[in-house]
Amino acid sequence: DHRARHLVPRAARGPAGDLAEIDNTNVAVGGTVSSQWLPGTSHFQNRLAPELPDADVVVMSIGGNDITASIDADALQDPEGALKTVHEIVQQIAENVRAIVSGMRDINPDIDVIYCIYVDYGQAQIFPWGIVSNVVGAEEITNVLRTARESLSVQEDILIADLFGASHALEDPLDD
């Protein structure tokens, strides 16, 4: 069970002290892709949906595995074709996120959704991003992630945790 009970962190406390006690449930399944969380799938029905009726906020970070699954030896042979494919995958991820959010709101219309946009892996030296950025260029990875950020908007009532934008404020590359 991935349940944890937390008090509001010290940094978020005001003069009144703790504002609330929260329950945090992690329903993630490592290695899954966004389509595995669509309404009607076993992950949505068996892991996510049962937690939604009492949830106030859902924090989502999905789509990275969709992208990395498309990066293989063939992608390194045709970097331009791979980038085109990845841009298409980003659009599919955005559609999947919208469908997942819609399904969540069918269960709990008052739920707030925060979608985490990944840091700018164009700055990374770690595998596989360092290799990919050497082949296609760091700016291309940055463009892919910028596209992901621009694919979802606050107008869709999805809050964005913009780790991508925040990573541009870092002095050192994302190498660890």
Side-chain angles (χ1 to χ4, degrees):
D1 190 355
H2 291 75
R3 294 177 191 270
R5 187 175 278 301
H6 301 282
L7 295 176
V8 174
R10 261 188 290 260
R13 295 180 193 165
D18 289 338
L19 300 176
E21 194 172 283
I22 61 170
D23 288 323
N24 177 25
T25 305
N26 181 354
V27 300
V29 177
T32 56
V33 294
S34 62
S35 61
Q36 292 177 284
W37 292 93
L38 289 168
T41 63
S42 64
H43 288 322
F44 186 94
Q45 298 306 122
N46 300 325
R47 296 186 63 82
L48 182 57
E51 303 297 333
L52 295 174
D54 296 325
D56 295 312
V57 178
V58 170
V59 179
M60 301 174 66
S61 176
I62 65 173
N65 290 333
D66 300 56
I67 294 170
T68 57
S70 74
I71 300 171
D72 59 13
D74 291 337
L76 298 177
Q77 298 300 317
D78 180 14
E80 291 80 18
L83 281 171
K84 182 178 185 278
T85 298
V86 168
H87 279 280
E88 292 167 359
I89 290 169
V90 166
Q91 294 305 316
Q92 185 61 55
I93 293 166
E95 289 176 30
N96 290 347
V97 168
R98 286 184 197 97
I100 295 164
V101 170
S102 177
M104 290 190 300
R105 290 197 172 127
D106 286 344
I107 295 169
N108 180 345
D110 298 321
I111 202 163
D112 286 321
V113 177
I114 301 171
Y115 183 76
C116 297
I117 299 293
Y118 294 99
V119 296
D120 185 357
Y121 283 113
Q123 300 177 31
Q125 302 300 314
I126 58 172
F127 179 82
W129 302 107
I131 292 172
V132 175
S133 65
N134 287 335
V135 173
V136 299
E139 65 281 350
E140 292 299 332
I141 295 172
T142 297
N143 287 337
V144 165
L145 293 165
R146 184 173 289 115
T147 299
R149 179 177 64 175
E150 293 167 357
S151 296
L152 296 168
S153 70
V154 174
Q155 287 78 22
E156 297 174 273
D157 207 17
I158 299 172
L159 301 171
I160 304 296
D162 188 4
L163 303 176
F164 171 84
S167 66
H168 283 256
L170 297 175
E171 293 181 18
D172 295 322
L174 304 175
D175 58 5
D176 58 15

